Amino acid sequence: MTRSVFAWCARCLAAERPCVLLVLLSLATVAAGAQGGQPKLGPLVDRWVQQPVDDATFRSFLSFFQYDRRLPFDVQVKASSDTGGLRRERLSFVSTSGVRVTANFVQPLSLPSAPQPAIIFLHGGTRPGKDTPRYVDFVDFFGRAGYRVLSIDMPYFGERATDLMTSFSEEEKHERLYNVPATYLGFVTQLVKDVGRSIDFLVAERRTDPSRILLLGFSRGGQMAYIVGAAESRLRGVAALYAGHMDHLELEHLPAACPANYIGRISPRPLFTMNGNYDADYSRDSTVVPLLKLARRPVESVWLETGHSLPPDNLRAPLMAWLQARLR
């Protein structure tokens, strides 16, 4: 019964039918009721941490993320500048039909003519998205280190904001997005496609080596990196900073939107994690450690004596060493 529902969902998603998310919501009910009795959504997240879905079910998730690679990018560069040794472009390109990815692209002014490595950055859950000043500074840091970086807005944030959220308070984000299973699954599904198209864009339009593209995410972007990293096999590696299974206000996920069902499938590509011992958003004991137990080698995990914040310059050495080893 469950597998037939997954197959139905996969066909609907491939056709981008608007009603498919309601079908996926019913899938959670089917899974929860498999043991008999009245199904409930609440315990599902813990269930996936205790026992992730099997390989056949995971493979059915991958069909959710298919997209048309033949679509023209229709690249629109809104602004560009050459300052401080960096070239910065503010641009957008087509992701899927009717959907554009908005992004900041940064690279050193002087680069060899041969294709270069690149980093795709996923921001945390702030209203300005990629344009949040601390994320702009973080991306510039990697640009000055010699890397090209594509920092993209996640759906509903930054230039991709809609009327779904207005205040972007923690309560609103959870009430309208993170704790609405069907809406959140749509968010996850679109973001996986957006990263896939970002890889396509970097290779086709920005002289990038397709074998040396890494995904780097922070906070909500880090939580998404666990999912995208398993779903998108072309990535060289995945780095998730200050992220975990779910944050302190999250209640539930549908199985296809739960990082517990993905983190173990990033392997054999390398995974790097960095977390704070005093992070109040992603608690070490309740949401980070249980998720990391599901990871498979090669994994490098770093714990810092910090709360929930981007690592300061003086604590970035482990991350930079990991990046350099994968992108050289």
Side-chain angles (χ1 to χ4, degrees), residues 303-319:
W303 288 91
L304 302 178
E305 298 301 301
T306 64
H308 189 75
S309 63
L310 285 169
D313 289 6
N314 64 326
L315 296 178
R316 294 176 185 174
L319 172 60

Side-chain angles (χ1 to χ4, degrees), residues 189-220:
T189 301
Q190 184 61 50
L191 183 60
V192 174
K193 295 177 183 180
D194 293 341
V195 173
R197 283 289 280 180
S198 295
I199 295 172
D200 299 339
F201 166 79
L202 285 168
V203 173
E205 301 285 338
R206 289 299 182 273
R207 210 162 38 91
T208 298
D209 181 348
S211 68
R212 292 188 293 166
I213 300 176
L214 284 171
L215 182 64
L216 171 63
F218 169 74
S219 190
R220 181 60 49 173

